[in-house]
Amino acid sequence: MTVQELDLAGITDSGLRADYIASSQLFRKIGRGRFLGRYMMHPAKRPYFDTFFSFVCYIDDLADDINLSVDVRARRLDEWQRTYMAVAKGEDLPSEHPLSLSERTDAALARALVHTLRTWDLPYLRVPEFVDGHRKALTTYEYADEEELDDFLETVTLLPAIWINQIFEPLSEDAEELCRHTITAFQLLDFIWDLREDLDLGRLYLPLDHLARFGLTRADLDRQIGSGYISDSLRELIQYEIDIARGHLDAGRSWPQTLHPTARIFMETDIQTHDSMFPEMIKDDYAFFKNPRRGIDFVSGRMIPRTAKAIARARKANQRATRAGYRIRPPYRGTGV
């Protein structure tokens, strides 16, 4: 993060600037290919973009760290939430002992996030709902039906999605509904793509009644995914799940056109990235599920040329916006509760 980006974002307090820089550095470390997305944003928006996605990735990583027990992960989520709420309520953080690295990271991210959400008049006191969703998922190993899965999607997936939609500056009342469809599609695609990885963690995000529709059980998935053998029933299940995800993505495909041009190219590229997952999963008779691979992101081999072109296009769009007098004009300084 640069001094110019902080200046353009209107972040002038020296301590807060340090928190934003720390959050951006954290995002670079844990955000994987998504970090390049910041260069598709207008420089004035990048500090907020970095902090928000750093927060989402950080909580995801705390919840999914297979090197830690479920109890330890739950404790870390509790620790971060307490730190966040203390900052949100203007309370002093404990200072009776030198802070550990994790405590310093928690505090810097919490301070930057509170400022980001309050700047954009977002409900900063609802952040614990997102953390609670992850905490509940720690001990939820399967979902009976779509209704149960929807509870997870609403808190863990769609709550932050609606917030980022606001930071992207929607120009239409349709943006939020389109956002919900698009981000739901992204999450459902990830569930399918990460099926083997999730099973290894003891989790299954495909509803059990979907499996039953094709005469399958969870044990069948455990045996077949990654084994080199895929039954006809499993092919049908996978295609069924893919069709559901594609339906949501098609329903939300026009979301980028409802956003301010300074955010539009990022979402267009993100949709292209997820679009590229569909053919990969079904080609060669669903061979992907015999030997699952890591996900596709902005720095994947096939996406790097597209990402580079998107950054170049965004640079021109952002320059045009600057010449037209663009600056951050959110409905900020409200209560956002």
Side-chain angles (χ1 to χ4, degrees):
M1 185 176 296
T2 67
V3 170
Q4 181 193 35
E5 290 169 357
L6 291 165
D7 289 344
L8 290 172
I11 301 166
T12 58
D13 179 81
S14 60
L16 192 57
R17 286 162 78 97
D19 293 329
Y20 270 96
I21 290 171
S23 297
S24 182
Q25 291 171 340
L26 179 63
F27 183 36
R28 179 188 291 273
K29 178 180 178 181
I30 67 176
R32 296 167 286 277
R34 187 169 291 272
F35 183 78
L36 287 181
R38 76 183 308 275
Y39 298 108
M40 302 175 202
M41 295 287 126
H42 191 280
K45 198 172 293 184
R46 290 174 191 168
Y48 305 113
F49 178 89
D50 287 4
T51 293
F52 191 85
F53 277 100
S54 180
F55 152 64
V56 172
C57 293
Y58 191 57
I59 299 302
D60 283 348
D61 284 358
L62 289 181
D64 293 340
D65 189 345
I66 61 174
N67 297 312
L68 302 176
S69 69
V70 169
D71 289 343
V72 171
R73 281 179 268 168
R75 189 188 73 217
R76 284 291 293 122
L77 290 172
D78 290 343
E79 290 170 350
W80 190 86
Q81 182 173 315
R82 283 196 298 271
T83 298
Y84 176 84
M85 289 307 296
V87 171
K89 294 178 180 179
E91 300 171 357
D92 293 331
L93 297 178
S95 58
E96 62 272 14
H97 61 82
L99 296 180
S100 66
L101 176 60
S102 63
E103 288 171 328
R104 293 197 301 273
T105 301
D106 287 358
L109 179 57
R111 288 190 292 262
L113 181 64
V114 168
H115 183 266
T116 290
L117 296 181
R118 294 192 70 176
T119 294
W120 293 89
D121 200 28
L122 291 166
Y124 64 96
L125 293 181
R126 293 187 64 190
V127 165
E129 295 178 34
F130 174 72
V131 181
D132 286 342
H134 276 286
R135 188 183 294 107
K136 182 179 178 181
L138 290 176
T139 53
T140 303
Y141 304 106
E142 59 189 24
Y143 299 85
D145 50 35
E146 290 183 11
E147 183 176 354
E148 286 191 4
L149 184 60
D150 282 346
D151 290 338
F152 173 91
L153 293 174
E154 284 293 332
T155 54
V156 172
T157 304
L158 294 177
L159 188 60
I162 292 169
W163 295 342
I164 198 62
N165 177 67
Q166 187 64 32
I167 293 173
F168 286 167
E169 297 178 281
L171 304 177
S172 165
E173 293 181 357
D174 296 332
E176 182 172 321
E177 184 63 22
L178 295 170
C179 163
R180 291 176 65 90
H181 278 295
T182 301
I183 301 303
T184 295
F186 288 0
Q187 184 67 83
L188 296 181
L189 273 171
D190 288 343
F191 288 159
I192 306 166
W193 189 280
D194 295 335
L195 192 51
R196 179 70 269 168
E197 180 181 339
D198 289 335
L199 287 170
D200 288 343
L201 291 171
R203 299 176 183 171
L204 176 64
Y205 291 102
L206 307 188
L208 294 178
D209 62 347
H210 287 197
L211 274 63
R213 177 191 292 261
F214 299 96
L216 294 167
T217 66
R218 179 169 179 166
D220 293 326
L221 268 62
D222 272 314
R223 283 194 301 270
Q224 295 186 46
I225 300 294
S227 70
Y229 168 73
I230 303 294
S231 68
D232 290 341
S233 295
L234 183 51
R235 288 183 180 85
E236 292 172 358
L237 169 66
I238 292 169
Q239 188 60 58
Y240 178 72
E241 300 296 338
I242 287 173
D243 289 344
I244 293 175
R246 192 191 300 275
H248 280 289
L249 191 55
D250 288 344
R253 197 172 292 278
S254 61
W255 180 31
Q257 282 66 57
T258 68
L259 303 176
H260 193 278
T262 56
R264 189 174 299 163
I265 293 172
F266 168 78
M267 278 316 308
E268 289 175 346
T269 307
D270 214 4
I271 288 174
Q272 290 175 359
T273 301
H274 285 80
D275 261 332
S276 69
M277 296 169 69
F278 289 113
E280 282 299 306
M281 289 190 288
I282 66 173
K283 76 178 184 180
D284 299 330
D285 196 23
Y286 303 88
F288 170 83
F289 296 94
K290 298 177 183 179
N291 184 28
R293 300 177 297 281
R294 70 180 294 273
I296 298 174
D297 56 31
F298 288 169
V299 295
S300 299
R302 75 201 62 192
M303 283 303 301
I304 287 177
R306 292 184 181 182
T307 300
K309 290 179 181 178
I311 291 173
R313 288 175 54 223
R315 183 182 299 114
K316 293 179 180 179
N318 292 329
Q319 289 171 346
R320 287 195 295 271
T322 297
R323 289 194 295 270
Y326 175 79
R327 61 183 178 86
I328 299 297
R329 294 189 181 92
Y332 53 114
R333 311 311 180 200
T335 59
V337 298

